[in-house]
Amino acid sequence: MSATTGTEPEAVTGWDILSAADRIAGYVRHTPLLSSPFLDEIAGRRVLVKPECLQHTGSFKYRGARSALSAMPSADRRRGVIAYSSGNHAQGVARAAQEYGVPAIIIMPSDAPALKIANTRALGAEVVLYDRGREDRDALGTALAEERGLSLVKPFDDPRVIAGQGSAGLEIAADARALGIEDAEVLVCCGGGGLTSGIALALEDQMPGFRVRPVEPEGFDDARLSLEAGRITGHGGPEKGLCDAILTPAPGRLTFPILSRLCGPGLAVSDEEALRAMALAFQRLKLVAEPGGAVALAAALFHGKEIEADTVIVTISGGNVDAGTFARALDTL
């Protein structure tokens, strides 16, 4: 694994996030902070939930995708874009491209959730499926990009994407300030670290009393391991699991220095805890969360001994879940 450390220069600043937020204003939804006394009782503290499952395309990924396309030179954007994704980034890029009226090719694993593949196609993108075990995704994408002159939009290791995700942090700061909250832990569902690092950068200046912490599934907790080691470290596990939306082999080269400088220790939750959190989000807040989108709420509800603040703010990062998995979650009630 790479020996990249948190001492390397950061490629994104708070100013970049403010600029991205200005570019995407009027397009992204400002998702609120929701609460339930029942969730507070389970957690033993005040819990505020930011439901990015209500964002366009059902996840926070639209923020970064819209930011990336809006920052492209118009000539590059007109030629079209390409992205790799198991689903949520795919849909975000597809919608942003559709809004700009430009072509989009999304390379998705053939075993991605059927709902995410169908939604990406419905948004007008050309979906190219590949076999994880036998085909080289990067080689396939490179060939298509060169053949058609497409611009790559990475899922998290792209300054324009990180800046766009940071707009969620600006909203958290504004809404928390309106509630009179000055100190809190902010738990963020973490894959490659785009959302986590963006929120951390946004809150650094806006709410210095807040501490951001990445949350991942057990066995796929590469951000937690990397923060402990002080360098990028892979989890060494398989590529596929229940929380497909946030499974990455390691944090990004751009995101990790930000995580290292600004975030507290990572947290890891079990698949069963993620499913229970999905069920409780539905029961108490009437929200539909996907497994990867529920891990931060799971940490707040079931890992209270690892949290210090009296108030915890959690992201539900996505809600694109198939019916079978959602039914499995509801069975935990």
Side-chain angles (χ1 to χ4, degrees), residues 211-231:
R211 182 171 73 156
V212 174
R213 300 183 64 183
V215 186
E216 301 162 288
E218 290 177 352
F220 300 90
D221 49 348
D222 45 274
R224 184 187 68 81
L225 294 171
S226 298
L227 288 172
E228 287 182 356
R231 59 183 177 84

Side-chain angles (χ1 to χ4, degrees), residues 4-55:
T4 300
T5 70
T7 62
E8 297 186 6
E10 294 173 12
V12 187
T13 66
W15 178 257
D16 294 324
I17 291 173
L18 291 170
S19 178
D22 185 61
R23 291 196 311 273
I24 65 180
Y27 296 95
V28 299
R29 289 177 177 152
H30 182 132
T31 55
L33 293 180
L34 305 178
S35 63
S36 161
F38 300 101
L39 298 182
D40 292 352
E41 183 178 1
I42 295 170
R45 55 176 46 84
R46 186 182 191 183
V47 177
L48 297 171
V49 177
K50 185 165 182 63
E52 282 293 290
C53 50
L54 302 180
Q55 188 56 255

